[in-house]
Amino acid sequence: MKSILELDNVSYSYHSLDGETSALQNISFTVASGEFIAIVGPSGCGKSTLLSLISGLIKPETGSILINGTENNAGNTNIGYMLQKDHLFEWRTVYSNVTLGLEIQHKLTPERLTKVDQMLETYGLAGFTKQRPSELSGGMRQRAALIRTLAMEPDLLLLDEPFSALDYQTRLEVCDDIATIIKRERKTAILVTHDLSEAISVGNRVIILSKRPGTIQRIVPISFSIPDCTPMQSRNAKEFQEYFNTIWKELNHHE
Ligand code: ADP
């Protein structure tokens, strides 16, 4: 399958008056079109730094990052970002929030708006377009934020702990919802999370980073015997606990 993202030997250090902090070292992996990658690792190992590098916000010190075969210079690639906060604006309706990105980029074309309407319909928000974000549940807000991101038709979606502000029950439902939408829309996504169960339930592969400076400790391919299972259903698959134990041991074997 065509690869969307290629990282080759990427390293990055932060420089400050106190000196140099090596955040990531020798990171190489590729992501195929339509894959869902989950990245886990100890706090401070460089997970957010890795997403910033992929998005082009910061440049690698060594190595290269190619998106669709091109270096991500000056935002020439189309990357969607979903963060812990949904950043919906209360002074705008739900509809004018989900079309905000298109408005800013002057892409409010009939084709794009039709696609937005279809997504609002399919993902249960069509009846809420005139509402304000505060009138939506936490899950609906995240769905609206995702539709706003998908409206831009990104080649790659980066998700940085997008569910960690939610309580456990809501988190399970929203994660299931969002991951199912991303798979259904056949998007390529990279999720950073500290929740191993979340990583295993959504990822086609889980990349385990070592403690700082983050290196790739292991990449675990995930597949379940339940065909076409949703993230929630995968938690009941017999392989789930095995994956959990493997990744847990891998993360803790240096301690
Ligand atoms: P994670 O997302 O895995 O928790 P980060 O990517 O946020 O880790 O950070 C990796 C390391 O780089 C941490 O040790 C952090 O303290 C350091 N770091 C992050 N941002 C900066 C910065 N702007 N200046 C200096 N050090 C930083």
Side-chain angles (χ1 to χ4, degrees), residues 145-161:
L146 180 63
I147 293 172
R148 181 187 55 196
T149 308
L150 292 177
M152 307 301 290
E153 298 180 1
D155 296 324
L156 179 63
L157 268 170
L158 304 178
L159 305 127
D160 197 352
E161 302 265 10

Side-chain angles (χ1 to χ4, degrees), residues 221-241:
I222 307 284
S223 77
F224 294 110
S225 46
I226 306 172
D228 299 324
C229 58
T230 65
M232 195 79 94
Q233 290 162 341
S234 74
R235 290 172 190 255
N236 295 320
K238 62 180 189 321
E239 304 85 3
F240 195 90
Q241 194 59 41

Side-chain angles (χ1 to χ4, degrees), residues 14-16 21 23 42-50 192 212:
Y14 289 100
H15 298 270
S16 68
T21 308
S43 180
C45 74
K47 299 183 292 298
S48 297
T49 304
L50 187 55
V192 157
R212 194 180 66 77

Side-chain angles (χ1 to χ4, degrees), residues 183-208:
K183 285 178 184 172
R184 194 166 160 173
E185 297 290 324
R186 299 180 193 286
K187 288 291 162 192
T188 313
I190 300 180
L191 167 78
V192 157
T193 179
H194 63 264
D195 183 332
L196 297 195
S197 299
E198 194 168 282
I200 297 163
S201 69
V202 303
N204 302 117
R205 283 186 290 157
V206 175
I207 297 183
I208 306 168

Side-chain angles (χ1 to χ4, degrees), residues 100-149:
L100 178 63
L102 293 175
E103 190 181 316
I104 292 170
Q105 295 206 357
H106 305 292
K107 287 180 178 162
L108 286 170
T109 60
E111 297 77 32
R112 298 256 182 156
L113 291 177
T114 303
K115 176 77 184 150
V116 166
D117 289 342
Q118 279 167 0
M119 286 194 285
L120 287 166
E121 183 69 44
T122 311
Y123 304 124
L125 289 175
F128 298 88
T129 52
K130 294 190 177 73
Q131 249 88 325
R132 301 283 160 175
S134 60
E135 294 172 89
L136 303 184
S137 68
M140 291 164 97
R141 289 182 68 113
Q142 281 292 29
R143 250 183 282 154
L146 180 63
I147 293 172
R148 181 187 55 196
T149 308

